[in-house]
Structures are given as C-alpha cells and as structure tokens.
Amino acid sequence: MGNYLGSTEQQQKDMLEKIGLNSMNELYQSIPKEMLVEKLDIPAGKSEFEVRSIIENMGRKNKVFSKVFRGAGAYNHYIPAIVKQIAAKEEFVTSYTPYQPEISQGLLQSIFEYQTMICEITGMDATNASVYDGATATAEGINMCLEKKRLKVLISETTNLMTVQTAITYFSSRDIEFVMIPEKDGLTDLAALKEALDETTACFIVQQPNYYGGIEAVEEIEGLVHEAKAKFIMSVNPVASTVLKSAGEVNADIAVGDSQPFGLPLAFGGPYIGFIATKEKMIRKLPGRIAGETVDEAGDRAFVLTLQAREQHIRREKAASNICSNQALCALTNAAYMSTMGAKGIQEVATQCYSKAHYLADQLSKIAGVQLANDAPFFHEFVTTLPVSEDLVLAKLEEHDILGGYPTEKGLLWCVTEMNTKEQMDEVAALVKEACQS
C-alpha cells in the first residue's frame, strides 16, 4: 500500500460539486495568497528518485542554526534522550484516534497521567486529552464562555497575533464581537480593560507571560473581570507557570496554552499540542475527552474515558464544540518529559531561562543606542530597540550561526532558554555592539 493516494481530476470535480464550489481556488480562498504555492518547479516525467533529489535540494535552502535566541511562541529547550525513546515505541505510534471506550489501558493511562500533570501545573481541576495547539485551545476556551446575553470577547493586544487570528476565524460564522484591549508600557492597559467590561462581556483573554515577554498583573485583571461577572481565560507558558502564580492560584476560570516546551522540538512549526484546563464548575463544558481512574470487577486500578456524552455521542445536537481528535502522541511526549524532569527539574529550567534572559538583557542594554522597549518585568523574552536596522544586526549574527531575536513592530523580541550558555550570550552582545558601531 502506498503512503500517498492522490485524487483524480474527476474525484476533485465531484467533491467540489458536492459542496457547491467551482474550483480548488474557491476551496482555498480563506488561506492567505502568500501562503499558497501556485506550482512547484518540478519538470514533468521525473522518476521518484529524481523528484526526491529535487525536493531535498529545496529543503537545503532552510538554514538550521546551532545557537537560537528566538522564541515568539516556539521555544528551544533541552529534551532528555529518554523522552524521544519512549515516544518512539511502536506501541504508541499509531494514527488511531483514541476516543472509543474499548481503547487499551496503556493508552488510557498515558492520557490520565498527562491530564494529571497538566492540572498540577495549571492549578486547575480538569483538563481534556489535548487539542491541536495553543491557539485552538484559546478558541475552544472562548466557546466555553459564550452565553446568550454575553457574546462580547475581550482580548489583550499583548496576546500572540496568531492566537487572535485563530479565535476570530473560529467564530467568523457567528455573531461574536471581538474587542482588542490596548497595551500600555508593554502590559495590558487595565484602565482600558475596566472601561470595556460590561454585562455583555463573555470573557477576557490575556497571555502570561505575554507575547512581548512581559509578566502581566493577572491578579488585578482577575478582580476586574470577575467583578463584571465575565470569565477569565489565561493563556500560559507551562514552563513559566512553574515559577509564576498558576492560573488556578490566580482564580482564572480557564487555562490554555501550547505545551510544545515540554519535550517537542522546534520542527518548522509542528506538530505541537494545545492544552485546555478548567475548574470543576465548568468541567461539563470542556470539549473532547477525559480519561478517569476507577477500579475493575476485581478491585484493581483501571482507567476509562469519562464525561464523553458530547459531540460523537448522544448529545451531538447539543454539543458546542466539534473537537473530536487529540494530539495523543504529542500528549504522551509531554507526559514523558514532565515525568523525566520532575517538578524540580522543570523549575530549574524556568529559573535558568529567567536568569539567563536577564543577563543578556543587561549586556545588550550596555551597548550605546540599545534599549529595552519598556520597563515591564519579564520571564525569558524581552524587546529591544536598536540604533541601526534590525536586518543589519540579524545578518551579523547569522554570519556566526546565531538566530537573533524576532522582528516585531516594537523592536527585536529576544528569547533565552537553558540551552543558551554565557559564552553564547557574550558573543551575541559583542556582535550586536559591533553591528551598532559599524
């Protein structure tokens, strides 16, 4: 059996007619044009061997850096060898979607362990078996908060723009009002948030730490949001949550995020995994599946899928979400990483991220003309402004096999993790200084 089964032109035509479209371009009209490839430059009549060679040459255009100082949503962390060893076991590598009640005890236990550890990190009562990514998790969290008289969604401008775009796309066919809350000095403008909150507000979403690295005043935000009787959604970095106050400690209603930092490597954008956790009072609004612990007829410990009377079962017509699949292998990788590192190990990673990021920020700030974009407290990302073009600085770093910060409208967004050594950070500071003085 082949790995890929193509469709014929007639099959494509039949499919398009079935859904009322005239062309494949209409099918992809919601995808930005700059992301579409009109035609691959592959001559006709080539053999598989020749096509493979052409594609591999295309792949060599990608630059893989040995030293990374960029995050912006995807983070370079050390992954112990045993994590990949566990995740690669053939017992776990399957395309089977684990939602049937007869699923194996081993896979159920792996989901149960994953859920347990995500709850411990977020401080929440329950989480599902995962969703596609952090942006999807945010959209599903919003869906849990919508009510007939509360259809306004507030999102901080300090949130990752891709998360915002995903949420808006999710509800493009519904009459949901999205309002962006501006930022002030690198953090959410609390006065603007207070003014926007009213009796029609379903929820407010803030990212912690935010997209620009700043540590938000989430306790003050929680007070404002709940005073308006709206729901509070925190989009959190799971590594940072081990040293900052968790969503549960802040009394947030829902915690969402991307757990790529827990054992999943940087791989051109995926596959990653999103988590969504909540308090017991909202557990029946949680999309997807939950693995629970019980005992069998002999009284032995056993695991079952529970609270799954939703989209694929008897309450299909009442289901608010269409989530029906999860990133099982990625969730298992997360669980293997968390088990291997332990609570102290992950906190050590977080501590190193914080300490090293502040060291690099101090070194860069000593360079004439280089400044931090704001004075907001930060975790392992921060923004600097430069006296020369960002392209010049990034090109200088690239000459030395270093991937510099991510260009944003506020400046270069730097990221430092436990993977970066003092020697690397000193080298970056020296090269930035050289570029700024050229």
Side-chain angles (χ1 to χ4, degrees), residues 90-103:
E90 62 180 18
E91 294 92 330
F92 297 127
V93 181
T94 172
S95 58
Y96 180 74
T97 302
Y99 61 81
Q100 282 79 8
E102 68 274 17
I103 192 172

Side-chain angles (χ1 to χ4, degrees), residues 34 65 67-75 159-163 165 207 210-213 266 360 364 373 380-386 389-391 393-395 397 402-416 428 432:
E34 62 270 20
F65 294 87
K67 291 163 277 189
V68 178
F69 286 85
R70 182 174 295 187
Y75 301 101
T159 301
N160 189 328
L161 183 59
M162 289 188 286
T163 298
Q165 292 173 333
Q207 187 173 322
N210 69 37
Y211 181 65
Y212 302 102
L266 300 175
L360 179 62
L364 293 177
H380 70 345
E381 290 181 281
F382 57 93
V383 178
T384 60
T385 56
L386 304 168
S389 78
E390 294 172 348
D391 290 343
V393 171
L394 293 175
L397 295 173
I402 298 172
L403 179 62
Y406 182 70
T408 72
E409 73 280 7
K410 301 181 187 303
L412 270 187
L413 174 61
W414 300 88
C415 177
V416 186
V428 167
V432 171

Side-chain angles (χ1 to χ4, degrees), residues 237-307:
N237 179 322
V239 174
S241 289
T242 63
V243 290
L244 301 177
K245 284 200 171 183
S246 70
E249 290 175 308
V250 177
N251 196 32
D253 298 287
I254 297 171
V256 298
D258 202 317
S259 48
Q260 173 271 326
F262 283 172
L264 296 172
L266 300 175
F268 303 102
Y272 291 161
I273 173 179
F275 60 86
I276 175 170
T278 189
K279 297 287 183 61
E280 186 175 1
K281 63 184 178 182
M282 298 186 72
I283 193 171
R284 290 190 175 276
K285 292 187 175 183
L286 198 61
R289 291 156 296 283
I290 298 174
E293 183 181 14
T294 185
V295 293
D296 61 16
E297 289 182 342
D300 295 325
R301 189 187 190 207
F303 302 92
V304 293
L305 287 178
T306 185
L307 291 179

Side-chain angles (χ1 to χ4, degrees), residues 348-397:
E348 172 63 23
V349 169
T351 301
Q352 286 201 31
C353 288
Y354 178 89
S355 301
K356 290 182 175 181
H358 284 72
Y359 175 79
L360 179 62
D362 288 341
Q363 296 307 305
L364 293 177
S365 297
K366 294 176 182 176
I367 302 170
V370 178
Q371 293 182 323
L372 292 178
N374 55 65
D375 295 326
F378 63 90
F379 175 58
H380 70 345
E381 290 181 281
F382 57 93
V383 178
T384 60
T385 56
L386 304 168
V388 296
S389 78
E390 294 172 348
D391 290 343
L392 180 66
V393 171
L394 293 175
K396 171 65 72 175
L397 295 173

